[in-house]
Amino acid sequence: MSYRKRTAALASAAALAGSAVWMAAPVARAEVVDVNYQCKTPIGDKSAVSPIDIKGVKSGSGYRITMSWQKGVSSSPVELGKGAMTPSATIALGGADSGTLAVSGPANDAAIPANTPIKISDLSGTYTPKKSGEVTFTAGVLTIKALGTTTTCTPTNDPGPSLTLDVSAGSGGGAGGSAQGGGSGADTGAGLPQTGPEDSAVALGTLGSTVLLAGAAGALWLTRRHQGARASR
């Protein structure tokens, strides 16, 4: 085979490898969804709309799921001192999986003034896939415990999913899909790749570029080798 044919074949192989990398990109879609909460409080019903963001970070055989509120919900007629309020919530699973994922977080780290919307800290939990395929994560019931009382806030506007992941069940994937986890949303699993579309695109783009550069380098080496052989004749 002539050096020109070898060069063309190598370049074609590199391009095909790069295309295969892009075709293997996992599906991960995330969006902020407005959720209309109707809250049952000790002093009556209240309502509030808050944009909800849900993110997933790969962690071992599962995912660390973090749920964030961009606006406060409900309120208290009295000041809630530091550490007086503890939030938790559920996330509804859909698509290839079903059931709910429990998420929780720390108590309030600062006093919350009376009659002020309660800012919910980031809530997190661990999701282990039971089945393979696209799984959706949708905001569920929010529970606020404070001063011996319980407030329950339920979505009433049938919100859409805030996160969709393409997951693969492990060998022991039938053991359940939800596990409660605490801590603030700042604990996102240091050193672990985020399962968002931008992160996947960057990682795959880097790998695809590496493959293409390797192919180009090989083609250049073959060309120079051939030219050197001709010059020595």
Side-chain angles (χ1 to χ4, degrees):
M1 182 183 292
S2 68
Y3 85 97
R4 289 183 179 178
K5 291 182 178 180
R6 289 197 300 271
T7 301
L10 185 58
S12 297
L16 288 173
S19 299
V21 168
W22 280 105
M23 291 176 66
V27 176
R29 299 188 298 275
E31 62 178 311
V32 177
V33 176
D34 287 338
V35 178
N36 186 355
Y37 282 104
Q38 294 295 320
C39 301
K40 299 290 185 180
T41 81
I43 59 172
D45 295 348
K46 294 180 179 293
S47 63
V49 176
S50 179
I52 300 297
D53 181 29
I54 300 177
K55 289 185 173 63
V57 177
K58 193 75 173 68
S59 179
S61 60
Y63 295 84
R64 186 69 169 171
I65 303 297
T66 300
M67 186 178 187
S68 302
W69 278 257
Q70 295 189 4
K71 291 183 179 180
V73 298
S74 191
S75 62
S76 171
V78 298
E79 179 180 279
L80 298 178
K82 179 180 179 181
M85 184 274 296
T86 303
S88 62
T90 60
I91 296 175
L93 306 177
D97 210 342
S98 60
T100 58
L101 171 69
V103 291
S104 60
N108 56 306
D109 58 3
I112 301 174
N115 302 312
T116 300
I118 297 175
K119 178 65 172 72
I120 305 299
S121 60
D122 288 354
L123 307 183
S124 58
T126 300
Y127 169 69
T128 302
K130 294 183 295 184
K131 299 180 180 180
S132 299
E134 285 194 5
V135 177
T136 60
F137 298 78
T138 304
V141 177
L142 167 66
T143 301
I144 302 171
K145 294 186 177 181
L147 304 178
T149 67
T150 299
T151 294
T152 303
C153 300
T154 304
T156 59
N157 61 329
D158 191 23
S162 295
L163 175 67
T164 300
L165 293 177
D166 191 351
V167 304
S168 297
S171 56
S178 64
Q180 187 168 356
S184 67
D187 178 15
T188 55
L192 296 172
Q194 182 172 325
T195 57
E198 295 182 359
D199 300 272
S200 299
V202 171
L204 290 166
T206 301
L207 180 57
S209 298
T210 301
V211 173
L212 290 174
L213 287 173
L220 180 61
W221 179 81
L222 286 173
T223 301
R224 290 184 175 178
R225 181 183 180 188
H226 180 78
Q227 291 175 345
R230 293 181 59 184
S232 61
R233 293 175 184 174

